[in-house]
Amino acid sequence: LLGLLTKEIVITLPIVLWLYDLYFIHLAEVGKKFDLSNRVKRLYVYLPFLFLVALPYILLRSYLTRALISSTAPPRGYYVNLLTQAKALIKYMQLLLIPAGLNVEHYVAEAYTLLNWQVMLSTLLILLVLGISIWLYFSRNILSRMVSFVILWFFIVLIPTTIVPLEVILQENRGYLAAVSFAVLSGTVLGKVSSLKSSGKWISVVLLILILGVYSVSTIQRNRLWKDDISLWSDSVQKSPLLARPHHNLAVSYREKGDLSAAIVEYRK
C-alpha cells in the first residue's frame, strides 16, 4: 500500500512474485513432480492484496481523477491507447537494445485501427516475443526459464501505462524498471560467450569493456543536455517537432531567462 502511494507501478509486484513462484520455487522441491494447477492455486494468497489494497486503490484513484479533471476530456480512449501502446512497447525495446535518439518526450502517433501497418507489425512482434517466452518456460534448463521470466517481467511492469491512457504516450523513465530484463539478458549472453572454449572469456571481457565505454560516452553526452531547461527542451523540440509540450516548456525556459522574443517564437509554434 505504501509502495502504491509512492509509485503506482508497485501494483504489478504481486504478479511478478507469483510468476517467480511459478517459475522457480518448484525447482527447489527435489523429488516432487511439478504441478501447474498447484501453482495456479497459489494465486489465492494474493486475493487479500487484490480486494483489500489494489481494488480499493484503483477505485479511489479513478474517483479522485474524475473529480480533478471532470472539465477536461481524457487524452484518448482505451482502445486507441491500447493500439498506440503496441507501437510504444516496441519503441521501448528498441531504446533498451540501442539507446540512440534519447529524448525527454518522444513522438508516437496515435493509432485508431488495428489495420494500421505499424500496429499490426508491432502486435506481431509482441506476440512473437511472448511466444518465445512461453516456449522457453517449458524448458528444463534454468537459464532458458530465467530468460522467459525476464521477458514477461518487461511486459508486466509496463501493464499500467499500456492500459491507462496518459497524457504523454511514451516516456523513457517508464522503461527503467522494464530495463531490468535487458540487463539480465545482456548478462546471460555475456555469460554464454564466456563459457565458450578457447577465447570465449576474452571475447566476453572485450564486449563488456566495449559496452561500458560506449554507454559511458553516451551518458556523458546526454548529461550535457540535462544541464539546464533550455538545452534539454531544445533537444526535444529538434527530435519531436510535432509535440506541443516541448515547444511550450522551451518557451517557458526562454521567458524565465528573459529572452522574450525566442519565447514568443516557441509559444506560437
Side-chain angles (χ1 to χ4, degrees):
L1 177 59
L2 293 175
L4 278 170
L5 295 172
T6 305
K7 192 70 175 176
E8 292 177 316
I9 198 69
V10 174
I11 202 168
T12 62
L13 179 59
I15 304 174
V16 173
L17 290 176
W18 174 76
L19 199 68
Y20 182 86
D21 186 8
L22 180 65
Y23 268 69
F24 304 114
I25 297 300
H26 77 277
L27 295 177
E29 298 174 353
V30 180
K32 294 184 179 180
K33 185 179 179 181
F34 174 60
D35 182 4
L36 180 60
S37 63
N38 183 49
R39 299 301 160 193
V40 173
K41 288 177 182 177
R42 291 200 180 191
L43 280 171
Y44 295 155
V45 301
Y46 298 101
L47 291 179
F49 171 83
L50 178 64
F51 290 110
L52 299 177
V53 177
L55 192 58
Y57 176 81
I58 293 171
L59 293 174
L60 178 62
R61 186 189 185 284
S62 299
Y63 171 76
L64 292 175
T65 302
R66 283 197 302 270
L68 288 171
I69 60 172
S70 58
S71 60
T72 59
R76 70 197 67 83
Y78 283 96
Y79 178 67
V80 170
N81 187 70
L82 198 60
L83 296 178
T84 307
Q85 284 299 319
K87 299 192 296 179
L89 286 172
I90 298 300
K91 183 67 175 179
Y92 282 121
M93 293 183 193
Q94 178 252 302
L95 289 172
L96 289 169
L97 283 170
I98 308 172
L102 299 178
N103 187 0
V104 69
E105 188 162 336
H106 291 266
Y107 174 72
V108 180
E110 291 185 354
Y112 298 94
T113 173
L114 188 58
L115 298 179
N116 180 299
W117 73 267
Q118 290 178 313
V119 174
M120 288 193 294
L121 182 59
S122 299
T123 303
L124 287 173
L125 286 172
I126 290 169
L127 291 175
L128 176 63
V129 172
L130 289 173
I132 292 172
S133 176
I134 294 171
W135 177 70
L136 290 172
Y137 169 77
F138 289 102
S139 171
R140 293 184 177 273
N141 185 294
I142 184 65
L143 203 57
S144 298
R145 188 157 287 195
M146 174 61 76
V147 172
S148 173
F149 176 77
V150 296
I151 289 174
L152 293 182
W153 169 293
F154 172 85
F155 291 104
I156 289 170
V157 298
L158 289 173
I159 285 175
T161 55
T162 301
I163 295 176
V164 180
L166 300 174
E167 190 66 36
V168 180
I169 293 173
L170 184 152
Q171 281 184 317
E172 290 173 0
N173 63 291
R174 294 177 192 162
Y176 290 166
L177 188 57
V180 170
S181 59
F182 281 80
V184 174
L185 288 173
S186 301
T188 301
V189 171
L190 286 173
K192 293 293 287 184
V193 171
S194 180
S195 65
L196 296 175
K197 294 181 179 180
S198 63
S199 59
K201 184 176 181 180
W202 290 110
I203 293 174
S204 65
V205 170
V206 171
L207 285 173
L208 182 59
I209 293 173
L210 184 64
I211 290 171
L212 290 174
V214 172
Y215 283 15
S216 295
V217 171
S218 176
T219 300
I220 292 169
Q221 292 176 340
R222 192 71 190 146
N223 282 344
R224 287 173 179 166
L225 291 173
W226 279 80
K227 65 180 180 179
D228 58 50
D229 290 343
I230 290 178
S231 62
L232 177 65
W233 290 109
S234 294
D235 175 72
S236 185
V237 162
Q238 182 181 359
K239 293 173 179 174
S240 303
L242 296 179
L243 287 176
R245 199 171 74 134
H247 288 288
H248 174 267
N249 289 347
L250 180 58
V252 171
S253 302
Y254 278 132
R255 189 188 65 191
E256 291 176 347
K257 189 180 178 182
D259 191 345
L260 298 183
S261 59
I264 289 171
V265 170
E266 294 302 323
Y267 276 131
R268 283 176 172 166
K269 288 181 182 178

